[in-house]
Amino acid sequence: MATLLQDPKLAAISEKVRNGERLTIEDGLILYDTPDLLSVAQLANEVNEKKNGDNVYFIENMYINPTNVCEASCSFCGFKRKPGEEGAYTMDSDELLKYVSDRWNDNIKEFHIVGGHNNEVPFDYYLDTVRTLKKHYPDVTVKAYTGAEIEFFARIAGLSMKEVLQELIKAGLDTLPGGGAEILTERYRAKMSPEKASTDEWLEAHEIAHGLGLKTHATMLYGSIDTYEERLIHMDRLRQLQDKTNGYMVFIPLAMQPRKLNAGLTRRTSAFDDMRTIAISRLMLDNFDHIKAYWINIGPQLTQMALTFGSSDIHGTLIEERISHSVGALTSQGITRKELIHMIKGANKVPVERDTFYNVIKTY
């Protein structure tokens, strides 16, 4: 391995990785700075292969956004609407069930639910969304509501976050998605999402969820005003909580999408940044089993490349993704199982269909 390194600064990091030692934020900055991206990729690939072999996981899932009405004004979001604004919607139970039935197939294993912070409806609305889906689709995992939404529910309901999560679990909640994290530093949040949960509140929501027996997901939204150091601080905060709870299943780096579909290349993250960030995530998050390449954000071809840069998961079918596509995502809104399998096999990896909790359904 050492003979392949083009940058001597990587030698000490390579030795640490080989010996299973945790990388520091300073190590991470070297990984972001080095011109020797392929050696970073090789290190990340080596770590991933030790954890997952050639397996790459995917799931048949459906995205549901029950409401786009939101009190927050995050500068990166094109999905939100204010009450009464053109295009604003809030599904009732019948509309929710029709939305699902119109897109349903019997292979779907997960509902992935994220929406606006809609204070025009009570907390019971969000509970009823989970109850309704569980009643009609009892065998489908309900992955619902970000850590930021949990904090929002606590405010509008006058409950603690623990009480909110307990009520949601009674209603049928199985896991939390990873959204709402953005970048876990207060400088970033003050500028980009000032009305949403703070760093500590987002982490607390997940820590409480882990304590109540839920396994959850974690994301990072990179590529705007964030610095490399802030990305690494974000990763470090996640792995510190993972040390404590072992409650995270996967980390998902999300490339920031521009506000307009026709935005030029200068408004998008580069392929090099996307691949480097996935590889560094694999190297920094030594206590996470999986790093996900989110094909919606980086496209199918880069997703295939990511499978040799440390990623072991490419997400799922989605059916109709709205949030990234409300801004500048250039990919399709959904994908078939056949296409997911083709994507994985095209990277000389083994496609493994999973459920939400990484239990194997079928190996292809």
Side-chain angles (χ1 to χ4, degrees):
M1 182 67 184
T3 59
L4 300 179
L5 298 176
Q6 300 298 310
D7 183 354
K9 291 180 181 177
L10 294 180
I13 293 174
S14 175
E15 192 69 20
K16 276 188 172 183
V17 171
R18 280 289 184 76
N19 293 330
E21 296 177 36
R22 174 160 289 180
L23 299 186
T24 65
I25 288 174
E26 290 72 24
D27 293 329
L29 289 170
I30 291 170
L31 293 171
Y32 266 116
D33 183 63
T34 180
D36 189 6
L37 177 57
L38 292 182
S39 290
V40 178
Q42 190 167 347
L43 281 171
N45 190 53
E46 185 176 317
V47 170
N48 180 50
E49 287 186 346
K50 285 180 181 177
K51 288 179 178 287
N52 298 296
D54 285 329
N55 289 342
V56 174
Y57 296 86
F58 71 93
I59 188 170
E60 286 231 27
N61 62 347
M62 182 189 296
Y63 242 55
I64 306 173
N65 307 116
T67 180
N68 65 349
V69 176
C70 192
E71 68 167 14
S73 299
C74 302
S75 60
F76 48 79
C77 183
F79 174 72
K80 67 181 183 291
R81 296 292 184 273
K82 295 302 179 185
E85 186 179 350
E86 184 179 355
Y89 72 87
T90 301
M91 296 180 187
D92 60 25
S93 293
D94 290 341
E95 291 168 328
L96 174 68
L97 290 173
K98 184 178 188 308
Y99 180 91
V100 173
S101 65
D102 286 350
R103 294 158 179 81
W104 177 256
N105 74 70
D106 290 338
N107 295 314
I108 291 171
K109 298 295 187 292
E110 173 187 282
F111 293 131
H112 184 144
I113 303 167
V114 176
H117 295 199
N118 185 351
N119 56 13
E120 298 287 301
V121 293
F123 177 46
D124 278 347
Y125 169 82
Y126 300 96
L127 290 173
D128 286 340
T129 297
V130 175
R131 288 192 197 106
T132 298
L133 291 171
K134 268 298 181 186
K135 178 181 177 182
H136 290 85
Y137 301 92
D139 296 328
V140 179
T141 299
V142 175
K143 179 168 81 174
Y145 307 133
T146 68
E149 285 172 284
I150 300 304
E151 186 276 332
F152 165 70
F153 298 156
R155 280 192 281 115
I156 65 170
L159 300 172
S160 67
M161 285 196 285
K162 183 174 183 179
E163 290 168 331
V164 163
L165 282 161
Q166 287 171 328
E167 290 301 310
L168 286 166
I169 290 168
K170 287 179 194 173
L173 179 73
D174 296 300
T175 180
L176 300 184
E182 278 80 76
I183 294 289
L184 293 171
T185 70
E186 287 312 295
R187 184 199 75 88
Y188 177 97
R189 302 180 87 77
K191 288 179 176 290
M192 299 294 283
S193 52
E195 296 98 346
K196 282 170 69 172
S198 68
T199 295
D200 288 344
E201 287 166 339
W202 189 93
L203 290 167
E204 183 185 0
H206 281 261
E207 183 171 359
I208 293 167
H210 298 166
L212 293 172
L214 298 184
K215 294 285 188 177
T216 70
H217 306 70
T219 64
M220 177 179 73
L221 185 64
Y222 68 91
S224 59
I225 66 167
D226 46 287
T227 65
Y228 292 147
E229 184 176 19
E230 284 178 310
R231 297 184 197 181
L232 295 162
I233 289 169
H234 180 105
M235 295 177 202
D236 184 54
R237 286 176 172 163
L238 289 174
R239 71 184 179 183
Q240 286 182 48
L241 181 53
Q242 182 75 331
D243 282 342
K244 189 174 179 181
T245 66
N246 195 34
Y248 288 118
M249 295 182 287
V250 58
F251 176 69
I252 311 108
L254 300 172
M256 177 73 77
Q257 301 299 300
R259 290 297 297 271
K260 295 181 180 178
L261 187 63
N262 61 356
L265 283 176
T266 58
R267 304 298 299 170
R268 299 178 182 276
T269 58
S270 71
F272 282 81
D273 193 14
D274 294 335
M275 294 300 97
R276 188 186 297 268
T277 297
I278 285 170
I280 292 172
S281 301
R282 179 62 286 166
L283 294 169
M284 295 294 292
L285 294 170
D286 49 65
N287 53 5
F288 277 64
D289 288 336
H290 301 285
I291 305 297
K292 183 179 290 185
Y294 191 55
W295 67 262
I296 281 286
N297 283 45
I298 62 175
Q301 282 80 14
L302 276 187
T303 296
Q304 287 180 304
M305 288 294 296
L307 302 183
T308 55
F309 278 69
S311 176
S312 58
D313 190 293
I314 63 170
H315 201 49
T317 51
L318 298 179
I319 311 297
E320 186 178 14
E321 196 281 341
R322 293 185 178 189
I323 292 178
S324 289
H325 286 91
S326 67
V327 279
L330 297 174
T331 53
S332 62
Q333 288 188 283
I335 199 167
T336 66
R337 173 206 297 239
K338 182 179 179 181
E339 289 169 320
L340 287 168
I341 292 168
H342 175 78
M343 200 188 304
I344 295 166
K345 285 188 172 181
N348 293 318
K349 299 287 186 175
V350 178
V352 180
E353 187 176 356
R354 63 171 176 87
D355 67 10
T356 299
F357 305 102
Y358 288 85
N359 298 306
V360 174
I361 294 171
K362 184 176 179 180
T363 301
Y364 293 85

